[in-house]
Structure formats: structure tokens, C-alpha cells
Amino acid sequence: MSSDAAGGQRSSSSSNRARGDAALMPTSSPFTGDGGGAGSPTRVERMLREREHSRRHLFASSDAMDTDGAEPASASAGTFLADGVQSPGRASPANMEDAGGAAPGHAARPPLAGSRSGFRRLGLRGMKQRLLVVANRLPVSANRRGEDQWSLEISAGGLRCIPVFLDEEIVHQYYNGYCNNILWPLFHYLGLPQEDRLATTRNFESQFDAYKRANQMFADVVYQHYQEGDVIWCHDYHLMFLPKCLKDHDINMKVGWFLHTPFPSSEIYRTLPSRLELLRSVLCADLVGFHTYDYARHFVSACTRILGLEGTPEGVEDQGRLTRVAAFPIGIDSDRFKRALELPAVKRHINELTHRFAGRKVMLGVDRLDMIKGIPQKILAFEKFLEENPDWNDKVVLLQIAVPTRTDVPEYQKLTSQVHEIVGRINGRFGTLTAVPIHHLDRSLDFHALCALYAVTDVALVTSLRDGMNLVSYEYVACQGSKKGVLILSEFAGAAQSLGAGAILVNPWNITEVADSIRHALMMPSDEREKRHRHNYAHVTTHTAQDWAETFVCELNDTVAEAQLRTRQVPPGLPSQTAIQQYLRSKNRLLILGFNSTLTEPVESSGRRGGDQIKEMELKLHPDLKGPLKALCEDEHTTVIVLSGSDRSVLDENFGEFKMWLAAEHGMFLRPTYGEWMTTMPEHLNMDWVDSVKHVFEYFTERTPRSHFEHRETSFVWNYKYADVEFGRLQARDMLQHLWTGPISNAAVDVVQGSRSVEVRSVGVTKGAAIDRILGEIVHSENMVTPIDYVLCVGHFLGKDEDIYVFFDPEYPSESKVKPEGGSASLDRRPNGRPSNGRSNSRNSQSRTQKALVASEKSSSSSQISTSSDHNWREGSSVLDLKGENYFSCAVGRKRSNARYLLNSSEDVVSFLKELATATAGFHAGNADHMFLDRQ
């Protein structure tokens, strides 16, 4: 909201119109295209270019918004659509700081009949793109005409409004309940209401249901007016559920969401019962904006700690989809305030105030009478200043404008009484018959009076305990071109990050510090005062509301364009019917299936509960897959392989009953159907690094709560998925430094980093490198004659293991496919199949290789036989007769993949394999019927 002193009268001004405007307002943006694209300039270059372009072609209609008279009050609900030539910054929600229409501290306004919420549309002359701005308050004034009638007047600027009609019960539950009673206090660090009875819990649930219904009603109105290519800009905590509603309707909508309040730290936010649903809903937007970097950082932290997603410098990533998160500090229409100072009415006010307070320094506070504004702390600090500096008693006056809000709420009534009591005590203590040190007004001022008051003020005092931005400080600076006064600003206001260099920053809870700052400000030399003012004035006059809106829209367009480029790289969904049809037509099929996150039960990790961690550590086959897998394995024309990074015992436990091949530890161990385990690892594999790496993994597991590591026979995996996200990352970074400078500095190993894991394995150990040897052994063991003409490869594989997709792909050039390293690797059919931990020199390696080749030539059936993997690779490759239409590689839950296709989760894998098994059974039944009829 622009100035708290303006109260309801100024909420439709250029700098605060959207601050709570229940509105979706289509506006044309200053950008004609979608932005970005192949060969386009970088985002920074593009934004600089567009900003310069917009400044050269300023909107001729800026004066249409700027009326000299006081602006009428905004209605408390509605949607508005603005036509005409309006700048996004002037007509969009320019100052929807946390004083907005839905916050507990906002000045109460009479609701429209039926209580509406709404949206507005702006149009820019000659521009092609429309901007639909959705907020919680209409830019209209409501005036009562008799007992049963209201007249509505459009605020200055000529906006056309499209209301969203909410019934009284929804407004009570959604607006007064969930928005004002739950979200607003939580976001301002006041905490949730205490639940002293069961009814309170039920109220929470019913209020959240009403909140979602209200958001859906906004979405329904947007659908009615949306045109392809429109940009939709959702505003504030009233509409956190709206991005999901819009994207569910049309995934291609360009949706941005901006929060005008603080976003609390994740430790505060996580107390919200509906925390998961709201975060996921906001993440449906393409761009999420905040006033400051701190708020953006808190949001990303909440997503990583609560949802378990990946936070990046760009935003939040979820399975390849990036929601960009950034800071966009809001501004004001500074020109409007500068022009107002030249008006005769304002000059008259300035002369009156100058005469009234002649000989005294003027200090000013302009706030809503709200708990977060720190008014008692401000007045107490002023009292301490007077107490410690008695020579200033008759030389300074504090003017405090306190706009009453929510006068029917007991907490606000108590705050009002407290402030009045403190003011009365101070005036009684330090005042005289002719003058008092504090002038306190419980009302708002019109625009002219407020500008005059800003102009005559020597020191502005902003002591917010928590504020999204607080643009009172901006407005004061804009009106100080002549006086060059001093700004004392709370470090807990968002404006502190923008004006901190020129203002005196204070902790409003430290009364002594604020009192000392008052003395410093009053006695500040003129040259220092001018330097501070020059810095703040330059920021306020360049970072305007229009600049804020243009920057956000430009970033949203670029974000969508970049997302479209990323989407082109995301594999399409698996065409299940085509895959099944080709399967049934083929004669010899090979199914390669991953295990973890592919055939396992899904684990909900967002809650980070201990039970989920235990469940994930003990991998179990999805119970719904036992029937389909059994049916597929029994098909004599189908060979099934489960290829996993897990060790042999895990695969035995889950798949021992199935007629399938098992490949453990990325294919380093192989078990034929109902056979014994053998090793496929190269004979010269060096495992000297195992013990020292184990010590490092044990060290970090002990010092990272809720982390664990798996000791496999050929690798180690340290997992910190359930540990504190930030601490886990720091520990992982530290672990890598320990490993590279110590145990593995000279070892032939690969370090594979997952999203929340670190794995150390021998060089060349990948699923792609192993599959050639595995395939050769299958051909050899089963005396396979019919060429393999169908391959389905499905898994949630790490990037390093995705070479398996390339291995089979007929469309990849042969030289890019994986071939076995060190051509003399062997298949050792020893029952334990354990690798040697001794160092192998070249002579011993050659000796063993020669023995292996001799043994393979003897064609012995002994379990001790070793066969050249190079021979098996040639044998396995020769049996492949695979065409492109018969190869289906499919990544599970990994949108950045070398696979041809995508399945989103293990549940999708279950559904597909069920369909495949059912179709196979029907196909065989049909063939059996035909054979029976032929015999008849």
C-alpha cells in the first residue's frame, strides 16, 4: 500500500492500487514477443535492452493516472479489467506491500454486495501482449446510497472491472479466516492461533477449504477472459492456490506469482498445517517473485527442507521442471509525488506546517495502527531520547499518523489503548501548556496533506517489526528534494535492503539504539545528510513502480521461453499402446528393468519422516507387480533382466521367485535364471581403495544426522536425502574434498553424485559398460538363436548409468556406443563371485587373461569357467536385430535423460507393466484358440 496514512483513500493510487486489489487485470506489457528463444540474447542483455527501450518510449498516458485530488477508497473485493493506455507500473499492483487489503492491519472498508474479488486488464497502445493481473481488491470506491444501495466509482485511470462474486460465508472463511487469521500472522512471524479446543482445528480445515474454493472461483473468471499468449500475474498470499488452478486448466498458461509480504524462514513456515499443498501450488507458477532476496531464500529453503526438492541459484527444480524464484523490489510513482509538491494546495499546506512548527525539528511516523508497525517501540524510543537529551524538549516534535485498522478486533483495540496511554504519559511528562512533544492522529490524511507533511519533515522514523517493503520510506525520500531530511529505517522492513546505504538502520526492539539514532539524525551535518539523501533519492526515482512491473513481466516472458527450450529436451511420455503392439509383434524380446524408484513402492519423502527413511532403506518390490512380472517372465519369448545398483542379497530377496536374470551393483554381478551368482567385473579391477573410503563414509555418516551409507562389494553409496538439506550439502562437499585429497587421489575410481548422494565405484563401472557382457552371457547360456528384435529398457538411472540407453539405440552411431574397457574382462562363475582386493600388476593381469581365454576355448561346463567378455560382447551384439520402432528406452522420473521416453513415477511403471502382461495373456490365449480351431 502506498502510504499507510492515506488509508483507504489512497489504496488505488499508482503506487498501491494493487496492494490488495482483488483483481485480475489484463494489461498489455511493453514486450511484443514471448521472449527468449534459440539464438536470443542472454536474460541480462534482454532485460537491459527492453528497459532502455521502454524508457525511450515512455507511455504518453502517465498523466491519466495522476489526479491532483484525493483518490477515492478502494472497494474490499472484486476483479478489474483496465483498458486504455496504462503503464504496467502505474496500473498494476505497484505497492501491494504487506499492508494490503487482506492483512489484519488494513483499514476496514465496506464490502461490496456479495463481497467480490476480482481482476483488471490494462492495454498498452501498439502492444500485442496482454497482462492479466489477479489480486484480492478492486480499484473502485464504494459509496452507500441509502440503506440497500451502493454506488461504485472507478478509481482514477479508467479501469474496467470484472468482479469475482464470493458469497458472504466464503468471504468470512477465506478472507477473514484463512488469509487474515492464519497466513498473515504467520508470514509476519506472529505465529499461528493457539488451538485450545477441537473446534479450532475444524475451523482451520474449513477455512482452508474455503480458501481453495475462493482461489478456484478466481481461476474460473480468468478462464472466461483468457486468450492464448496472455500473461497472468497473481498477487499475494490471498491467491497462493491460484497458480495450480490455472496450470491444471492449461499447462501452457504463462503464470507469475508475487508475494507482497515477507516470506518467513522455513522453521516458521513449516508449522503451517497446509504447508505442503500451498508450496506445491505456488511452484506451479513459472516465476515466483518477492521483494527481497531474504524472502526468496526463505521460500527456496522451505521447498528444499519441506518438499525435499532441489534448490538452485535459479529457483526450485522438481524432476527437471524449474520454477524460477527471484527478488523484485517494488517502487513507487516518484514523479507523482514530485509533481504534487508544485501544486498550490500542497504549497499552502507546506506554508501552514512550516509556520505551525517554526523553531522545532519535525519528526514523522506514518503507519497503520498495527502490531507489526512498531508504533509503541517508536514512541518509547522517542521518550528515551527526550529523557537523555533534555535540551531538545522544546526543539523537536514527533508527528505520528496512525490509521485505525480492524477496530472490531480485541488485539487491535488493546494496541490502540496502549499507544494512547504511552502518548498521554509522555506528553504529560515533557509537555507544557503551549506545546507537547507528540502529536498523535488516529486517522488518515489526504494525498495533498501527506505530501506537504513529508516535505517539511526533518527526520522520518520507520520502526516496523516486520514489513514486506514499507513504501512510506520511498514516499518520504521522493518529497525531500529540497529539505534532504534523514530516514531512520527498521532493518526488518524490506526497504532496508534498498535504502540501507542512505538510511540509518536500526533494530526497533533496541530502544536505546533507536534513541541514539534519533540524536544522530537531528544533529547530522548537512554534507552527510545530503550524501545519504542523494543515494536514496537516486534509487527511489529510478526503481519505480513502472520499472518493477516491466522487470517482472520481462523476466516472466524470458522464464517461459527458457522453459520451452528445456521442454524440447524432455523426453515425451511413453506411448504405451505402441510399445505393447510392437512387443506382441516381435519374436524375441528383452526387458531390462531398474529396481529402485522403478519397481519399488513409492516413498513420500517430502515430509522427511523417519518411517519413510526406513521404508526407503529397505527396498521392496511393489506388491502390485508380482503378478505382471511373473506373467512376463514365464513367456518363453521374453527375457527379463533386473539391472540395479543394489547388492545381490537385496535382489535375491525381492526377485528370487521369478524366472529372470538379475544384475547387481550396476551389472558387476550376474545371476542367471534360478542359477548361481557370478562376477562380470574385469579381471584386473583394483579394489585397494575400499578400506580407506569406508572410513571416510563412516566418519561423515556419524556426523550427519539421518544420513546412511551402503557398503556394497564394488562400491560405496552415502545418502543424505533425509538429513538437513543445507547441512547435508556442506557435508557432501567436505566429503568430496576428503576423498580427492586422500583415499582416491591416485585410485582408479569414479565419484558419482546424485541429487542427495555420493557414490564411489571403480572406473568404468556403469550399467552401459556391463550390459554388453551381460547380453553376451545370456546368449551363451540360453543358446539363443532367434535374434532379439525388441528391447524395452526402463529405469531411474543416474546420469552416468544412462549409457545403457545409448547402447541399444539403433539410431546412435556405433562408435558412440559403450564397449567394454580393457577387452580382457572375464565372467567368473564362482558362487561367491567376490572381487580380488589385491593390487594387480600388468604381468599377473596378462597371465590371468591368458588363462581365461584358454579356459573359454575348452568349452567346459564347470562352474569355475571364465569366458572372455570381449568374445561375449561380440556374441551378444551379433544376436541383436533391432530396428528403431522396436526400441523403447524409458526414464522414470528423470526429465533430463538420454532415454527416448519418460514415465513420471514407479506407479506409472506398474500401470504399464500391468497393461503389457494383460495384453500378453490375451495374445497367447487368442493364439491358443486359433491353434485349437486349426486342429479341429
Side-chain angles (χ1 to χ4, degrees):
M1 192 161 197
S2 180
S3 166
D4 295 324
Q9 298 177 356
R10 300 189 54 224
S11 65
S12 59
S13 71
S14 65
S15 62
N16 76 66
R17 173 167 294 101
R19 166 70 198 125
D21 299 348
L24 178 165
M25 85 191 189
T27 318
S28 291
S29 83
F31 315 107
T32 58
D34 290 341
S40 64
T42 65
R43 180 184 301 104
V44 174
E45 292 172 342
R46 178 185 175 83
M47 293 178 68
L48 290 175
R49 183 192 66 200
E50 295 291 357
R51 179 178 296 178
E52 182 62 25
H53 178 270
S54 64
R55 285 177 177 167
R56 291 177 181 174
H57 302 83
L58 292 176
F59 302 99
S61 63
S62 59
D63 291 339
M65 289 283 302
D66 301 328
T67 57
D68 294 337
E71 296 181 357
S74 290
S76 64
T79 325
F80 50 97
L81 212 240
D83 284 336
V85 278
Q86 300 294 345
S87 148
R90 300 183 188 279
S92 68
N95 188 4
M96 300 174 73
E97 101 188 52
D98 59 319
H106 305 310
R109 295 171 175 78
L112 301 177
S115 191
R116 299 148 201 171
S117 302
F119 83 72
R120 60 189 177 187
R121 171 183 295 168
L122 301 178
L124 286 176
R125 184 175 296 150
M127 302 304 174
K128 297 180 180 179
Q129 189 178 45
R130 301 194 318 163
L131 172 65
L132 313 184
V133 177
V134 192
N136 185 61
R137 184 177 296 274
L138 280 177
V140 301
S141 58
N143 301 305
R144 185 183 291 277
R145 299 288 189 231
E147 290 295 324
D148 301 322
Q149 292 184 338
W150 291 84
S151 68
L152 304 180
E153 181 179 349
I154 302 297
S155 300
L159 305 180
R160 282 196 306 108
C161 300
I162 300 178
V164 176
F165 291 91
L166 307 177
D167 61 55
E168 187 174 354
E169 179 60 23
I170 287 186
V171 170
H172 175 69
Q173 295 271 0
Y174 147 73
Y175 180 81
N176 298 326
Y178 198 77
C179 291
N180 285 0
N181 195 43
I182 296 179
L183 291 183
W184 190 91
L186 184 73
F187 283 12
H188 291 85
Y189 291 80
L190 300 179
L192 294 172
Q194 296 297 316
E195 297 187 31
D196 55 355
R197 56 187 185 276
L198 185 60
T200 307
T201 302
R202 286 195 286 265
N203 284 341
F204 282 176
E205 295 172 354
S206 63
Q207 289 172 3
F208 185 55
D209 289 342
Y211 181 86
K212 292 190 289 186
R213 290 199 305 273
N215 276 244
Q216 184 60 57
M217 294 173 75
F218 274 93
D220 292 340
V221 175
V222 175
Y223 304 157
Q224 297 171 16
H225 301 275
Y226 173 77
Q227 298 175 12
E228 185 176 355
D230 287 351
V231 171
I232 303 174
W233 190 0
C234 310
H235 284 268
D236 229 358
Y237 57 92
H238 316 88
L239 300 174
M240 294 180 72
F241 205 71
L242 183 57
K244 181 180 187 303
C245 297
L246 296 174
K247 288 289 190 175
D248 286 348
H249 177 75
D250 185 350
I251 192 64
N252 295 317
M253 281 186 175
K254 299 179 182 180
V255 179
W257 182 80
F258 190 90
L259 181 66
H260 294 268
T261 70
F263 192 91
S265 72
S266 60
E267 292 304 305
I268 298 293
Y269 179 81
R270 71 188 309 154
T271 62
L272 184 66
S274 53
R275 60 189 186 180
L276 301 178
E277 201 164 356
L278 286 184
L279 283 180
R280 290 195 181 103
S281 299
V282 171
L283 287 175
C284 290
D286 300 293
L287 175 64
V288 176
F290 300 89
H291 283 307
T292 72
Y293 170 75
D294 283 347
Y295 306 157
R297 177 170 53 84
H298 290 162
F299 176 79
V300 173
S301 178
C303 293
T304 57
R305 293 173 183 270
I306 297 173
L307 295 180
L309 302 179
E310 187 70 20
T312 72
E314 297 291 327
V316 179
E317 187 171 349
D318 182 11
Q319 295 184 353
R321 183 188 184 276
L322 177 69
T323 298
R324 193 175 302 282
V325 180
F328 302 90
I330 203 170
I332 63 170
D333 181 3
S334 56
D335 288 341
R336 180 170 184 264
F337 288 87
K338 291 189 291 183
R339 287 195 301 270
L341 296 178
E342 303 300 321
L343 299 175
V346 176
K347 289 183 176 180
R348 185 169 60 254
H349 279 300
I350 292 175
N351 291 334
E352 293 173 356
L353 292 170
T354 302
H355 178 74
R356 173 71 178 80
F357 298 111
R360 305 175 77 180
K361 292 284 188 178
V362 177
M363 297 180 60
L364 176 64
V366 179
D367 307 278
R368 294 185 335 279
L369 193 54
D370 199 323
M371 278 89 70
I372 67 166
K373 294 299 182 179
I375 296 177
Q377 287 80 1
K378 179 191 305 184
I379 299 174
L380 290 173
F382 184 63
E383 179 184 27
K384 186 170 183 61
F385 165 77
L386 294 177
E387 188 179 79
E388 295 180 348
N389 300 273
D391 52 322
W392 277 94
N393 283 3
D394 58 349
K395 298 178 182 178
V396 64
V397 59
L398 172 63
L399 307 180
Q400 177 61 52
I401 311 300
V403 180
T405 58
R406 304 190 72 188
T407 54
D408 57 334
V409 178
E411 289 82 357
Y412 287 81
Q413 295 172 353
K414 181 179 178 181
L415 175 64
T416 302
S417 300
Q418 179 188 11
V419 171
H420 289 174
E421 180 183 345
I422 297 173
V423 170
R425 186 187 74 242
I426 296 174
N427 282 342
R429 180 181 177 187
F430 298 101
T432 65
L433 290 175
T434 58
V436 291
I438 301 178
H439 289 242
H440 181 85
L441 277 71
D442 282 329
R443 66 180 181 85
S444 61
L445 297 180
D446 65 42
F447 179 62
H448 292 166
L450 185 63
C451 289
L453 196 53
Y454 282 144
V456 302
T457 296
D458 297 282
V459 178
L461 198 52
V462 178
T463 56
S464 304
L465 305 181
R466 192 71 61 175
D467 232 348
M469 195 63 177
N470 192 294
L471 295 182
V472 167
S473 54
Y474 278 61
E475 295 173 352
Y476 169 71
V477 170
C479 293
Q480 282 287 308
S482 299
K483 192 132 191 173
K484 297 177 174 57
V486 181
L487 173 64
I488 298 177
L489 180 60
S490 167
E491 64 186 60
F492 300 116
Q497 294 196 15
S498 302
L499 305 181
I504 299 176
L505 297 184
V506 296
N507 176 0
W509 296 99
N510 189 336
I511 302 301
T512 301
E513 179 189 358
V514 179
D516 292 342
S517 297
I518 292 175
R519 185 175 185 276
H520 180 203
L522 291 173
M523 301 182 67
M524 184 178 292
S526 59
D527 59 339
E528 180 183 354
R529 197 169 64 242
E530 289 180 7
K531 289 179 182 177
R532 286 176 175 267
H533 172 74
R534 190 183 310 123
H535 175 89
N536 284 346
Y537 191 78
H539 181 88
V540 169
T541 54
T542 56
H543 294 79
T544 63
Q546 177 175 341
D547 181 75
W548 166 76
E550 291 172 356
T551 301
F552 187 92
V553 173
C554 177
E555 183 74 8
L556 178 54
N557 275 318
D558 285 346
T559 297
V560 172
E562 291 175 5
Q564 291 170 347
L565 291 176
R566 285 193 300 271
T567 301
R568 296 188 193 121
Q569 301 170 0
V570 174
L574 176 67
S576 57
Q577 293 305 313
T578 302
I580 293 173
Q581 290 172 4
Q582 296 301 108
Y583 176 91
L584 298 177
R585 291 170 183 167
S586 58
K587 298 178 180 180
N588 191 9
R589 308 130 183 168
L590 177 65
L591 305 187
I592 303 173
L593 306 175
F595 181 37
N596 192 6
S597 299
T598 303
L599 304 180
T600 54
E601 293 183 271
V603 177
E604 178 57 59
S605 62
S606 58
R608 316 191 82 76
R609 299 182 179 87
D612 293 335
Q613 181 177 1
I614 294 173
K615 186 176 181 180
E616 185 166 306
M617 291 171 63
E618 298 177 355
L619 297 177
K620 297 292 183 182
L621 175 66
H622 197 296
D624 292 345
L625 277 177
K626 291 187 176 181
L629 275 182
K630 182 175 177 60
L632 293 172
C633 291
E634 294 297 330
D635 187 343
E636 60 182 8
H637 299 293
T638 301
T639 301
V640 180
I641 310 173
V642 170
L643 178 56
S644 172
S646 300
D647 60 33
R648 294 178 288 175
S649 61
V650 173
L651 298 188
D652 276 334
E653 180 181 351
N654 285 278
F655 301 99
E657 63 184 275
F658 297 100
K659 184 182 177 181
M660 62 168 57
W661 287 71
L662 299 179
E665 300 200 26
H666 310 293
M668 290 297 97
F669 297 97
L670 183 63
R671 193 211 74 174
T673 303
Y674 301 133
E676 298 294 332
W677 285 98
M678 66 188 82
T679 179
T680 69
M681 68 183 61
E683 187 73 14
H684 64 274
L685 192 65
N686 181 7
M687 301 293 291
D688 285 351
W689 51 269
V690 169
D691 290 338
S692 54
V693 169
K694 179 182 178 183
H695 292 321
V696 174
F697 275 48
E698 288 175 341
Y699 175 89
F700 281 93
T701 300
E702 291 172 359
R703 286 157 180 77
T704 311
R706 297 193 68 180
S707 69
H708 66 279
F709 84 94
E710 298 177 56
H711 179 189
R712 300 168 182 170
E713 296 181 57
T714 60
S715 64
F716 289 91
V717 180
W718 183 66
N719 190 300
Y720 58 95
K721 179 177 181 179
Y722 289 90
D724 178 89
V725 176
E726 297 300 326
F727 184 60
R729 286 176 181 160
L730 292 175
Q731 291 291 81
R733 189 181 310 159
D734 198 16
M735 171 187 278
L736 291 174
Q737 291 177 347
H738 276 73
L739 290 172
W740 285 119
T741 57
I744 65 173
S745 57
N746 295 313
V749 298
D750 284 331
V751 177
V752 184
Q753 289 184 264
S755 60
R756 303 283 165 80
S757 66
V758 176
E759 180 177 359
V760 178
R761 60 170 86 156
S762 295
V763 168
V765 175
T766 68
K767 292 180 173 65
I771 192 62
D772 51 8
R773 299 191 291 269
I774 295 172
L775 185 58
E777 181 63 18
I778 291 174
V779 173
H780 176 77
S781 299
E782 297 188 358
N783 297 317
M784 189 176 290
V785 178
T786 304
I788 296 174
D789 58 352
Y790 179 96
V791 174
L792 171 69
C793 184
V794 180
H796 178 83
F797 301 137
L798 293 175
K800 188 173 182 64
D801 292 318
E802 287 202 341
D803 51 1
I804 190 173
Y805 297 140
V806 177
F807 176 83
F808 287 103
D809 201 325
E811 297 179 4
Y812 270 80
S814 58
E815 59 269 16
S816 68
K817 297 186 179 182
V818 180
K819 293 188 177 182
E821 298 186 10
S824 60
S826 63
L827 286 165
D828 186 351
R829 293 182 177 79
R830 289 172 292 174
N832 63 354
R834 294 189 177 276
S836 168
N837 285 326
R839 183 180 297 274
S840 302
N841 58 39
S842 58
R843 180 175 300 176
N844 290 336
S845 176
Q846 289 177 354
S847 174
R848 282 193 299 269
T849 301
Q850 291 171 355
K851 291 179 181 179
L853 290 173
V854 170
S856 65
E857 292 172 357
K858 292 182 179 179
S859 302
S860 171
S861 61
S862 168
S863 64
Q864 301 293 324
I865 290 179
S866 294
T867 306
S868 166
S869 69
D870 186 51
H871 170 73
N872 282 341
W873 179 80
R874 290 193 300 269
E875 187 176 12
S877 299
S878 65
V879 82
L880 284 176
D881 184 19
L882 193 60
K883 296 180 180 179
E885 60 269 23
N886 274 15
Y887 176 55
F888 296 87
S889 58
C890 187
V892 180
R894 289 180 59 87
K895 295 186 178 179
R896 296 180 181 177
S897 173
N898 291 326
R900 290 185 167 193
Y901 304 107
L902 173 70
L903 287 173
N904 289 320
S905 67
S906 60
E907 292 292 344
D908 292 337
V909 177
V910 172
S911 299
F912 172 71
L913 292 181
K914 281 183 175 179
E915 286 186 60
L916 185 60
T918 301
T920 302
F923 179 77
H924 290 320
N927 284 344
D929 290 341
H930 285 302
M931 292 176 62
F932 176 77
L933 291 175
D934 289 342
R935 286 197 297 269
Q936 295 296 318

